[in-house]
């Protein structure tokens, strides 16, 4: 069974590769702000990340169905629930520094929404969504450590301005819940969602690696 990863996230790709799955990657480029706006003010963190994941998976499923008539498309979205606010990637050094000023020495919840769209005989046939929540306890980096971390650029491109499996790992005291969920794709939750649509992990392992797009060779 071919898995199509509807994500630009290197972290999600790394989680799947380490777990024995070589997905076809097709980035959705969904307008996340538009999806959030449509949900309205009262949306919960769970609803928000699940709606974003579903929008990504649906977009890619519609796009790949003809070329991949029998596949499963996986979309995901990760955000941090911090002081009653759901935050994504900080995008700037000042924003990332502000996040760390809030979360150093405290705990916050990393939510990742997951959506699977099954494509059968060239058409989307089933979809399931779910979310996982992992509590993350942060230590207090020194000023010098924080400024060096910010200068590395890593915290700017990830939800919550930290990584568990990268430089940010020095500053995570511990977690309660699934670690792969923090990185960007919860393997146990994805497995449960796959089972809901009749797919076992063994079927993913059996899929041949996708053929890389041929790069036209320059004329001799
Ligand atoms: N390596 C690593 N990446 C993390 C960690 N926490 C969050 N991230 C990354 C995973 C995602 O790439 C990013 C969360 O942003 P999104 O969920 O919007 O996904 P992204 O924009 O990267 O790609 P996509 O929207 O799925 O095409 O943050 C972590 O602990 N480790």
């Amino acid at each position: 069974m071919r898995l199509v990863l509807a994500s630009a996230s290197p972290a999600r790709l790394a989680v799947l590769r380490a777990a024995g799955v070589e997905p076809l990657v097709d980035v959705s480029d969904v307008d996340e702000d538009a999806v959030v706006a449509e949900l309205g003010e009262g949306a919960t963190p769970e609803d928000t990340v699940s709606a974003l994941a579903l929008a990504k998976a649906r977009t890619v499923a519609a796009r790949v169905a003809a070329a991949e008539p029998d596949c499963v498309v996986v979309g995901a979205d990760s955000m941090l629930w911090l002081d009653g606010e759901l935050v994504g990637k900080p995008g700037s050094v000042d924003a990332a520094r502000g996040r760390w000023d809030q979360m150093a020495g405290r705990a916050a919840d990393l939510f990742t929404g997951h959506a699977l769209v099954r494509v059968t005989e060239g058409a989307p046939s089933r979809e399931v969504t779910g979310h996982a929540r992992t509590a993350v306890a942060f230590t207090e980096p020194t000023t010098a450590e924080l400024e060096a971390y910010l200068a590395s650029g890593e915290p700017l491109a990830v939800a919550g301005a930290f990584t568990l499996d990268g430089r940010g790992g020095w500053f995570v005291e511990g977690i309660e819940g699934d670690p792969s969920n923090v990185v960007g794709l919860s393997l146990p939750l994805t497995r449960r969602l796959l089972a809901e649509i009749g797919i076992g992990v063994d079927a993913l392992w059996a899929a041949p690696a996708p053929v890389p797009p041929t790069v036209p060779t320059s004329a001799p």
Side-chain angles (χ1 to χ4, degrees):
M1 170 60 63
R2 165 82 60 233
L3 186 145
V4 179
L5 177 60
S7 178
S9 170
R12 294 191 176 113
L13 180 56
V15 166
L16 285 171
R17 282 179 167 164
V21 176
E22 184 61 42
L24 187 70
V25 175
D26 191 317
V27 181
S28 71
D29 288 329
V30 155
D31 179 347
E32 298 188 25
D33 292 339
V35 173
V36 173
E38 196 175 328
L39 288 173
E41 289 296 315
T44 63
E46 299 87 339
D47 293 342
T48 302
V49 294
S50 296
L52 286 164
L54 184 56
K56 296 176 188 181
R58 280 176 174 168
T59 299
V60 169
R63 192 158 66 201
V64 304
E68 294 289 338
D70 189 27
C71 71
V72 57
V73 180
V74 179
D77 192 86
S78 300
M79 298 183 84
L80 188 70
W81 181 244
L82 179 61
D83 291 335
E85 189 188 359
L86 196 61
V87 293
K89 304 176 199 171
S92 74
V93 172
D94 286 344
R97 185 181 292 113
R99 294 273 170 77
W100 274 97
D101 290 345
Q102 277 181 276
M103 65 198 194
R106 299 174 60 208
D109 289 327
L110 197 293
F111 284 86
T112 298
H114 296 62
L116 275 57
V117 176
R118 180 82 166 82
V119 174
T120 309
E121 294 176 0
S125 56
R126 288 279 311 274
E127 58 185 38
V128 288
T129 61
H131 73 274
R133 174 179 191 163
T134 305
V136 182
F138 299 99
T139 188
E140 295 186 67
T142 64
T143 302
E145 286 170 333
L146 179 59
E147 289 308 315
Y149 185 46
L150 296 171
S152 76
E154 182 188 274
L156 308 192
V158 292
F162 81 99
T163 61
L164 183 63
D165 55 327
R167 291 173 183 248
W170 295 98
F171 312 124
V172 174
E173 282 297 342
I175 64 170
E176 190 176 327
D178 169 18
S180 57
N181 180 58
V182 179
V183 178
L185 194 74
S186 167
L187 292 172
L189 172 59
T190 303
R191 177 176 172 274
R192 289 195 297 274
L193 294 175
L194 284 164
E196 276 188 54
I197 56 175
I199 300 171
V201 172
D202 54 300
L204 301 184
W205 284 335
V211 176
T214 49
V215 177
T217 51
S218 55

PDB file of all heavy atoms in Angstrom, residues 105-130:
ATOM      1  N   GLY A 105      11.094  26.419  32.153  1.00  0.00           N
ATOM      2  CA  GLY A 105      10.785  26.004  33.514  1.00  0.00           C
ATOM      3  C   GLY A 105       9.345  25.564  33.715  1.00  0.00           C
ATOM      4  O   GLY A 105       8.937  25.254  34.839  1.00  0.00           O
ATOM      5  N   ARG A 106       8.574  25.541  32.617  1.00  0.00           N
ATOM      6  CA  ARG A 106       7.148  25.180  32.750  1.00  0.00           C
ATOM      7  C   ARG A 106       6.805  24.022  31.816  1.00  0.00           C
ATOM      8  O   ARG A 106       7.697  23.432  31.192  1.00  0.00           O
ATOM      9  CB  ARG A 106       6.289  26.410  32.427  1.00  0.00           C
ATOM     10  CG  ARG A 106       6.542  27.576  33.374  1.00  0.00           C
ATOM     11  CD  ARG A 106       5.778  28.806  32.929  1.00  0.00           C
ATOM     12  NE  ARG A 106       4.329  28.551  32.902  1.00  0.00           N
ATOM     13  CZ  ARG A 106       3.500  29.201  32.084  1.00  0.00           C
ATOM     14  NH1 ARG A 106       3.975  30.088  31.216  1.00  0.00           N
ATOM     15  NH2 ARG A 106       2.215  28.956  32.123  1.00  0.00           N
ATOM     16  N   ALA A 107       5.531  23.704  31.710  1.00  0.00           N
ATOM     17  CA  ALA A 107       5.089  22.630  30.810  1.00  0.00           C
ATOM     18  C   ALA A 107       4.048  23.187  29.849  1.00  0.00           C
ATOM     19  O   ALA A 107       3.368  24.175  30.145  1.00  0.00           O
ATOM     20  CB  ALA A 107       4.499  21.472  31.618  1.00  0.00           C
ATOM     21  N   ALA A 108       3.957  22.553  28.685  1.00  0.00           N
ATOM     22  CA  ALA A 108       2.955  22.931  27.691  1.00  0.00           C
ATOM     23  C   ALA A 108       2.579  21.675  26.920  1.00  0.00           C
ATOM     24  O   ALA A 108       3.252  20.641  27.023  1.00  0.00           O
ATOM     25  CB  ALA A 108       3.520  23.998  26.736  1.00  0.00           C
ATOM     26  N   ASP A 109       1.487  21.740  26.181  1.00  0.00           N
ATOM     27  CA  ASP A 109       0.989  20.559  25.456  1.00  0.00           C
ATOM     28  C   ASP A 109       1.191  20.728  23.963  1.00  0.00           C
ATOM     29  O   ASP A 109       0.760  21.724  23.377  1.00  0.00           O
ATOM     30  CB  ASP A 109      -0.505  20.362  25.730  1.00  0.00           C
ATOM     31  CG  ASP A 109      -0.754  19.901  27.159  1.00  0.00           C
ATOM     32  OD1 ASP A 109       0.094  19.167  27.708  1.00  0.00           O
ATOM     33  OD2 ASP A 109      -1.785  20.301  27.732  1.00  0.00           O
ATOM     34  N   LEU A 110       1.816  19.743  23.332  1.00  0.00           N
ATOM     35  CA  LEU A 110       2.002  19.745  21.879  1.00  0.00           C
ATOM     36  C   LEU A 110       0.894  18.887  21.279  1.00  0.00           C
ATOM     37  O   LEU A 110       0.792  17.689  21.597  1.00  0.00           O
ATOM     38  CB  LEU A 110       3.391  19.181  21.510  1.00  0.00           C
ATOM     39  CG  LEU A 110       3.974  19.427  20.125  1.00  0.00           C
ATOM     40  CD1 LEU A 110       3.196  18.709  19.024  1.00  0.00           C
ATOM     41  CD2 LEU A 110       4.116  20.905  19.796  1.00  0.00           C
ATOM     42  N   PHE A 111       0.060  19.514  20.471  1.00  0.00           N
ATOM     43  CA  PHE A 111      -1.037  18.822  19.789  1.00  0.00           C
ATOM     44  C   PHE A 111      -0.637  18.584  18.336  1.00  0.00           C
ATOM     45  O   PHE A 111      -0.128  19.497  17.678  1.00  0.00           O
ATOM     46  CB  PHE A 111      -2.305  19.687  19.773  1.00  0.00           C
ATOM     47  CG  PHE A 111      -3.051  19.741  21.072  1.00  0.00           C
ATOM     48  CD1 PHE A 111      -2.706  20.662  22.059  1.00  0.00           C
ATOM     49  CD2 PHE A 111      -4.126  18.892  21.317  1.00  0.00           C
ATOM     50  CE1 PHE A 111      -3.403  20.729  23.252  1.00  0.00           C
ATOM     51  CE2 PHE A 111      -4.836  18.948  22.515  1.00  0.00           C
ATOM     52  CZ  PHE A 111      -4.470  19.881  23.480  1.00  0.00           C
ATOM     53  N   THR A 112      -0.863  17.364  17.858  1.00  0.00           N
ATOM     54  CA  THR A 112      -0.714  17.133  16.427  1.00  0.00           C
ATOM     55  C   THR A 112      -1.997  16.491  15.902  1.00  0.00           C
ATOM     56  O   THR A 112      -2.430  15.447  16.408  1.00  0.00           O
ATOM     57  CB  THR A 112       0.505  16.238  16.108  1.00  0.00           C
ATOM     58  OG1 THR A 112       1.702  16.909  16.550  1.00  0.00           O
ATOM     59  CG2 THR A 112       0.619  15.977  14.606  1.00  0.00           C
ATOM     60  N   GLY A 113      -2.596  17.177  14.930  1.00  0.00           N
ATOM     61  CA  GLY A 113      -3.766  16.616  14.248  1.00  0.00           C
ATOM     62  C   GLY A 113      -3.290  15.675  13.147  1.00  0.00           C
ATOM     63  O   GLY A 113      -2.253  15.907  12.521  1.00  0.00           O
ATOM     64  N   HIS A 114      -4.024  14.598  12.948  1.00  0.00           N
ATOM     65  CA  HIS A 114      -3.681  13.610  11.921  1.00  0.00           C
ATOM     66  C   HIS A 114      -4.923  13.351  11.058  1.00  0.00           C
ATOM     67  O   HIS A 114      -6.040  13.271  11.589  1.00  0.00           O
ATOM     68  CB  HIS A 114      -3.263  12.277  12.547  1.00  0.00           C
ATOM     69  CG  HIS A 114      -2.020  12.332  13.382  1.00  0.00           C
ATOM     70  ND1 HIS A 114      -1.894  13.101  14.529  1.00  0.00           N
ATOM     71  CD2 HIS A 114      -0.846  11.688  13.236  1.00  0.00           C
ATOM     72  CE1 HIS A 114      -0.693  12.928  15.048  1.00  0.00           C
ATOM     73  NE2 HIS A 114      -0.033  12.097  14.292  1.00  0.00           N
ATOM     74  N   ALA A 115      -4.719  13.227   9.740  1.00  0.00           N
ATOM     75  CA  ALA A 115      -5.852  12.882   8.866  1.00  0.00           C
ATOM     76  C   ALA A 115      -5.362  11.900   7.810  1.00  0.00           C
ATOM     77  O   ALA A 115      -4.287  12.094   7.233  1.00  0.00           O
ATOM     78  CB  ALA A 115      -6.407  14.135   8.200  1.00  0.00           C
ATOM     79  N   LEU A 116      -6.151  10.847   7.591  1.00  0.00           N
ATOM     80  CA  LEU A 116      -5.848   9.871   6.543  1.00  0.00           C
ATOM     81  C   LEU A 116      -6.985   9.875   5.529  1.00  0.00           C
ATOM     82  O   LEU A 116      -8.159   9.851   5.925  1.00  0.00           O
ATOM     83  CB  LEU A 116      -5.722   8.456   7.138  1.00  0.00           C
ATOM     84  CG  LEU A 116      -4.368   8.039   7.707  1.00  0.00           C
ATOM     85  CD1 LEU A 116      -3.887   8.977   8.789  1.00  0.00           C
ATOM     86  CD2 LEU A 116      -4.435   6.610   8.247  1.00  0.00           C
ATOM     87  N   VAL A 117      -6.623   9.971   4.266  1.00  0.00           N
ATOM     88  CA  VAL A 117      -7.636   9.844   3.203  1.00  0.00           C
ATOM     89  C   VAL A 117      -7.247   8.640   2.355  1.00  0.00           C
ATOM     90  O   VAL A 117      -6.147   8.590   1.789  1.00  0.00           O
ATOM     91  CB  VAL A 117      -7.724  11.108   2.327  1.00  0.00           C
ATOM     92  CG1 VAL A 117      -8.716  10.894   1.171  1.00  0.00           C
ATOM     93  CG2 VAL A 117      -8.150  12.322   3.159  1.00  0.00           C
ATOM     94  N   ARG A 118      -8.138   7.652   2.298  1.00  0.00           N
ATOM     95  CA  ARG A 118      -7.896   6.437   1.506  1.00  0.00           C
ATOM     96  C   ARG A 118      -8.336   6.721   0.079  1.00  0.00           C
ATOM     97  O   ARG A 118      -9.424   7.265  -0.143  1.00  0.00           O
ATOM     98  CB  ARG A 118      -8.741   5.307   2.101  1.00  0.00           C
ATOM     99  CG  ARG A 118      -8.631   3.955   1.435  1.00  0.00           C
ATOM    100  CD  ARG A 118      -7.420   3.198   1.906  1.00  0.00           C
ATOM    101  NE  ARG A 118      -7.477   1.797   1.522  1.00  0.00           N
ATOM    102  CZ  ARG A 118      -7.118   1.357   0.309  1.00  0.00           C
ATOM    103  NH1 ARG A 118      -6.747   2.220  -0.615  1.00  0.00           N
ATOM    104  NH2 ARG A 118      -7.171   0.079   0.038  1.00  0.00           N
ATOM    105  N   VAL A 119      -7.476   6.403  -0.864  1.00  0.00           N
ATOM    106  CA  VAL A 119      -7.830   6.534  -2.282  1.00  0.00           C
ATOM    107  C   VAL A 119      -7.984   5.118  -2.838  1.00  0.00           C
ATOM    108  O   VAL A 119      -7.077   4.289  -2.696  1.00  0.00           O
ATOM    109  CB  VAL A 119      -6.749   7.309  -3.056  1.00  0.00           C
ATOM    110  CG1 VAL A 119      -7.052   7.322  -4.551  1.00  0.00           C
ATOM    111  CG2 VAL A 119      -6.632   8.746  -2.524  1.00  0.00           C
ATOM    112  N   THR A 120      -9.151   4.847  -3.411  1.00  0.00           N
ATOM    113  CA  THR A 120      -9.434   3.515  -3.955  1.00  0.00           C
ATOM    114  C   THR A 120      -9.920   3.643  -5.395  1.00  0.00           C
ATOM    115  O   THR A 120     -10.791   4.478  -5.674  1.00  0.00           O
ATOM    116  CB  THR A 120     -10.559   2.837  -3.117  1.00  0.00           C
ATOM    117  OG1 THR A 120     -10.202   2.929  -1.732  1.00  0.00           O
ATOM    118  CG2 THR A 120     -10.734   1.383  -3.499  1.00  0.00           C
ATOM    119  N   GLU A 121      -9.300   2.884  -6.277  1.00  0.00           N
ATOM    120  CA  GLU A 121      -9.646   2.930  -7.710  1.00  0.00           C
ATOM    121  C   GLU A 121      -9.681   4.379  -8.226  1.00  0.00           C
ATOM    122  O   GLU A 121     -10.622   4.811  -8.901  1.00  0.00           O
ATOM    123  CB  GLU A 121     -11.010   2.227  -7.950  1.00  0.00           C
ATOM    124  CG  GLU A 121     -10.935   0.724  -7.655  1.00  0.00           C
ATOM    125  CD  GLU A 121     -12.296   0.024  -7.801  1.00  0.00           C
ATOM    126  OE1 GLU A 121     -13.299   0.707  -8.141  1.00  0.00           O
ATOM    127  OE2 GLU A 121     -12.359  -1.193  -7.569  1.00  0.00           O
ATOM    128  N   GLY A 122      -8.717   5.139  -7.777  1.00  0.00           N
ATOM    129  CA  GLY A 122      -8.527   6.485  -8.328  1.00  0.00           C
ATOM    130  C   GLY A 122      -9.422   7.550  -7.742  1.00  0.00           C
ATOM    131  O   GLY A 122      -9.491   8.671  -8.263  1.00  0.00           O
ATOM    132  N   ALA A 123     -10.111   7.231  -6.625  1.00  0.00           N
ATOM    133  CA  ALA A 123     -10.978   8.259  -6.024  1.00  0.00           C
ATOM    134  C   ALA A 123     -10.890   8.184  -4.506  1.00  0.00           C
ATOM    135  O   ALA A 123     -10.778   7.085  -3.936  1.00  0.00           O
ATOM    136  CB  ALA A 123     -12.424   8.050  -6.469  1.00  0.00           C
ATOM    137  N   PRO A 124     -10.952   9.340  -3.816  1.00  0.00           N
ATOM    138  CA  PRO A 124     -10.976   9.309  -2.353  1.00  0.00           C
ATOM    139  C   PRO A 124     -12.188   8.490  -1.882  1.00  0.00           C
ATOM    140  O   PRO A 124     -13.294   8.690  -2.380  1.00  0.00           O
ATOM    141  CB  PRO A 124     -11.105  10.775  -1.970  1.00  0.00           C
ATOM    142  CG  PRO A 124     -10.558  11.530  -3.149  1.00  0.00           C
ATOM    143  CD  PRO A 124     -10.908  10.710  -4.355  1.00  0.00           C
ATOM    144  N   SER A 125     -11.958   7.525  -0.969  1.00  0.00           N
ATOM    145  CA  SER A 125     -13.062   6.635  -0.580  1.00  0.00           C
ATOM    146  C   SER A 125     -13.379   6.711   0.920  1.00  0.00           C
ATOM    147  O   SER A 125     -14.508   6.559   1.349  1.00  0.00           O
ATOM    148  CB  SER A 125     -12.697   5.196  -0.949  1.00  0.00           C
ATOM    149  OG  SER A 125     -11.457   4.841  -0.345  1.00  0.00           O
ATOM    150  N   ARG A 126     -12.350   6.898   1.759  1.00  0.00           N
ATOM    151  CA  ARG A 126     -12.601   6.955   3.213  1.00  0.00           C
ATOM    152  C   ARG A 126     -11.717   8.048   3.802  1.00  0.00           C
ATOM    153  O   ARG A 126     -10.638   8.326   3.264  1.00  0.00           O
ATOM    154  CB  ARG A 126     -12.211   5.629   3.886  1.00  0.00           C
ATOM    155  CG  ARG A 126     -13.109   4.421   3.629  1.00  0.00           C
ATOM    156  CD  ARG A 126     -14.345   4.403   4.504  1.00  0.00           C
ATOM    157  NE  ARG A 126     -14.098   4.627   5.932  1.00  0.00           N
ATOM    158  CZ  ARG A 126     -13.777   3.666   6.822  1.00  0.00           C
ATOM    159  NH1 ARG A 126     -13.598   2.427   6.417  1.00  0.00           N
ATOM    160  NH2 ARG A 126     -13.625   3.954   8.107  1.00  0.00           N
ATOM    161  N   GLU A 127     -12.119   8.635   4.910  1.00  0.00           N
ATOM    162  CA  GLU A 127     -11.198   9.537   5.624  1.00  0.00           C
ATOM    163  C   GLU A 127     -11.421   9.391   7.121  1.00  0.00           C
ATOM    164  O   GLU A 127     -12.540   9.148   7.582  1.00  0.00           O
ATOM    165  CB  GLU A 127     -11.373  10.989   5.175  1.00  0.00           C
ATOM    166  CG  GLU A 127     -12.743  11.575   5.341  1.00  0.00           C
ATOM    167  CD  GLU A 127     -12.858  12.987   4.749  1.00  0.00           C
ATOM    168  OE1 GLU A 127     -12.269  13.274   3.688  1.00  0.00           O
ATOM    169  OE2 GLU A 127     -13.526  13.790   5.365  1.00  0.00           O
ATOM    170  N   VAL A 128     -10.320   9.493   7.857  1.00  0.00           N
ATOM    171  CA  VAL A 128     -10.384   9.435   9.322  1.00  0.00           C
ATOM    172  C   VAL A 128      -9.466  10.514   9.879  1.00  0.00           C
ATOM    173  O   VAL A 128      -8.448  10.847   9.266  1.00  0.00           O
ATOM    174  CB  VAL A 128      -9.944   8.053   9.877  1.00  0.00           C
ATOM    175  CG1 VAL A 128     -10.983   6.983   9.610  1.00  0.00           C
ATOM    176  CG2 VAL A 128      -8.598   7.620   9.305  1.00  0.00           C
ATOM    177  N   THR A 129      -9.856  11.073  11.008  1.00  0.00           N
ATOM    178  CA  THR A 129      -8.982  12.065  11.667  1.00  0.00           C
ATOM    179  C   THR A 129      -8.811  11.693  13.134  1.00  0.00           C
ATOM    180  O   THR A 129      -9.632  10.947  13.707  1.00  0.00           O
ATOM    181  CB  THR A 129      -9.587  13.488  11.603  1.00  0.00           C
ATOM    182  OG1 THR A 129     -10.840  13.475  12.287  1.00  0.00           O
ATOM    183  CG2 THR A 129      -9.765  13.970  10.170  1.00  0.00           C
ATOM    184  N   GLY A 130      -7.766  12.227  13.710  1.00  0.00           N
ATOM    185  CA  GLY A 130      -7.518  12.037  15.139  1.00  0.00           C
ATOM    186  C   GLY A 130      -6.439  13.006  15.568  1.00  0.00           C
ATOM    187  O   GLY A 130      -5.803  13.648  14.732  1.00  0.00           O
TER     188      GLY A 130
END
